[in-house]
Amino acid sequence: MDERRRRLIVLGVMLSIFLAAMESTVVSTAMPRVVASLGGIEMYSWVFSGFLLTSTVTMPLWGRLSDLLGRRRVFLGGLTLFLAGSALSGLAQNMTQLIAFRMLQGLGAGSLMTIGMTIIGELFRLERRAKMQGYISGVWGVASLCGPLIGGLLTDHVSWRWVFYINLPFGAVAMALIAAGLRDQAHDGPRPVIDYAGLGLFTAGVSGLLLGVLEAGRVARWTGADVVVPLALAVAALAAFVVVERRAAEPIVPLRLFGVRMVLAASVTGFLAGMAMFGAISFVPLFLQSVTGMSATAAGVVLIPFVLGWVAMSIVSARLVLRIGYRTVVAAGMVCLTLAFLLLSRWSESLTQGVAMRDALLGGVGMGLTMVPMLIAVQSAVARADLGAATSMLQFFRTLGGAIGLSVMGTVMAWRLSVGLGPAEALHGVFVTGLLVCLVAVLSAFLVPAGRAQDLARADVRGEPTRAGG
């Protein structure tokens, strides 16, 4: 492939990922105006939960479909769904419609990050791929940081509906770039067989799991039919899913991938890191405002170093992994996360903004050192035919960990408040829970194969996995 087409594809992927990442945060600052316009405040949380549910559930499905049907076709299909959901969300006339259209938007968003990372993995050999994956992760971080600001500006100066419409022109450009640059390889052999039974069971199982987890976080308890029933149905569906996948000719989630030590270790470590960081980071602004008395703006500023640290170290870690291997880099990242949570657990009413920014920065450095090296390692450990499935599973477990972490830590906070503790002590319990998860994650990081630099240099997803993958 010539360099011009590569540039077109990379620009299209970066723009698509920017839109998907921005959409996960841009709505937050627009929601008060949305509620004033549409009503339905009792369903407020589902505007966020619906998007999270459909985007998370479909991540592994999009990745596997791209393995079977081709990256270009599936990526453009997902981008089309995302843009359709964006347009319809902007046209919503009541809260029920907005939630339904946000779920459609999430359905498409689930494809953009996973297949985008997979496309980058196929376009470049290891050294350039490592740099590009670092840049892509940086784009995600910047978009997440800019989302609330963009949402606030559009809501104040144009209309809350443009929070969704803004995706359309930029999405059209991304679609044109991908369509012009990317070509699917001709498929030799029999037509791929779609595992519809596995697809349905996986969707039902993960949907039930997330519904139960999200409801547990909302009501701050893990008992009651509204939580237990979805979780029980999830267990039953996922058990049946495992049975079906073992017999499927083309499984929607190839279980054999978990026999690859690198894939298993990265999935576990990513789940725990997501559970700790994404779960706890949601409570940082709450501590700053309710305990130290900072304004909402000052609390938001504290999170800027977290994102900047993540972006910078994503780029740096992609280069470090080529020199010293991935186990060392991932372990260093988990140690940084652990130290960040140790510092968070020592916060008090006298906390200053500067100290809070320092601790947030350390957490961002830890995430940057952890996520990109695991992605590079997994893509180097599997054959091309499984690249989409492996990449999407890594994203899936990280997102699932974040959802479960948010629910568990919300329950911890609610329980500590119910026994008479104040906000500071209740939130300390949240941060200590994150610290315990990080300590387990540090141990899991040593499950990651060492991955010598010379082994990595021979890795190429267009061929077979390296010894480090086995």
Side-chain angles (χ1 to χ4, degrees), residues 44-185:
Y44 178 97
S45 65
W46 271 101
V47 175
F48 305 96
S49 299
F51 183 90
L52 175 66
L53 175 67
T54 53
S55 61
T56 303
V57 167
T58 55
M59 280 180 182
L61 310 182
W62 284 118
R64 188 55 175 164
L65 287 176
S66 75
D67 286 336
L68 298 175
L69 303 178
R71 316 285 183 219
R72 182 179 187 271
R73 184 194 313 181
V74 178
F75 189 86
L76 291 176
L79 184 53
T80 299
L81 284 176
F82 175 77
L83 295 178
S86 298
L88 291 170
S89 294
L91 294 170
Q93 299 302 305
N94 55 58
M95 191 63 78
T96 301
Q97 288 183 5
L98 179 60
I99 291 169
F101 298 146
R102 278 280 286 173
M103 292 180 77
L104 176 64
Q105 191 186 37
L107 190 68
S111 71
L112 302 183
M113 189 72 173
T114 52
I115 304 179
M117 289 289 201
T118 305
I119 290 171
I120 297 300
E122 282 190 323
L123 281 180
F124 302 102
R125 287 188 174 273
L126 185 67
E127 288 196 16
R128 288 194 65 190
R129 187 197 321 153
K131 295 176 185 177
M132 289 297 173
Q133 300 290 25
Y135 295 147
I136 293 287
S137 185
V139 166
W140 184 92
V142 170
S144 300
L145 179 64
C146 292
L149 175 62
I150 293 172
L153 290 172
L154 290 172
T155 301
D156 289 339
H157 299 288
V158 188
S159 164
W160 66 262
R161 297 183 185 275
W162 274 93
V163 167
F164 304 106
Y165 292 151
I166 191 69
N167 293 323
L168 301 180
F170 295 104
V173 171
M175 188 174 288
L177 291 170
I178 295 293
L182 190 61
R183 298 285 184 273
D184 281 334
Q185 291 189 339

Side-chain angles (χ1 to χ4, degrees), residues 216-296:
R218 189 183 71 83
V219 301
R221 56 179 170 78
W222 288 78
T223 57
D226 51 350
V227 174
V228 174
V229 170
L231 292 179
L233 291 175
V235 171
L238 292 174
F241 168 75
V242 171
V243 174
V244 168
E245 292 301 273
R246 286 178 173 172
R247 300 174 180 173
E250 294 284 359
I252 203 72
V253 176
L255 299 179
R256 56 184 164 74
L257 288 178
F258 294 104
V260 180
R261 183 180 169 191
M262 176 56 72
V263 175
L264 179 61
S267 298
V268 172
T269 305
F271 175 85
L272 293 171
M275 184 177 179
M277 202 69 244
F278 292 127
I281 203 68
S282 303
F283 295 92
V284 167
L286 179 61
F287 186 98
L288 297 174
Q289 292 178 70
S290 64
V291 178
T292 69
M294 287 187 194
S295 67

Side-chain angles (χ1 to χ4, degrees), residues 366-421:
M367 291 299 282
L369 286 172
T370 302
M371 295 305 173
V372 172
M374 288 194 298
L375 174 63
I376 296 169
V378 165
Q379 289 188 335
S380 299
V382 300
R384 178 175 184 165
D386 294 322
L387 189 61
T391 302
S392 62
M393 289 306 292
L394 193 59
Q395 300 289 335
F396 168 76
F397 278 110
R398 185 174 71 182
T399 306
L400 182 64
I404 292 176
L406 183 60
S407 181
V408 169
M409 292 177 192
T411 304
V412 169
M413 184 182 72
W415 175 77
R416 289 173 71 88
L417 288 171
S418 70
V419 298
L421 296 176

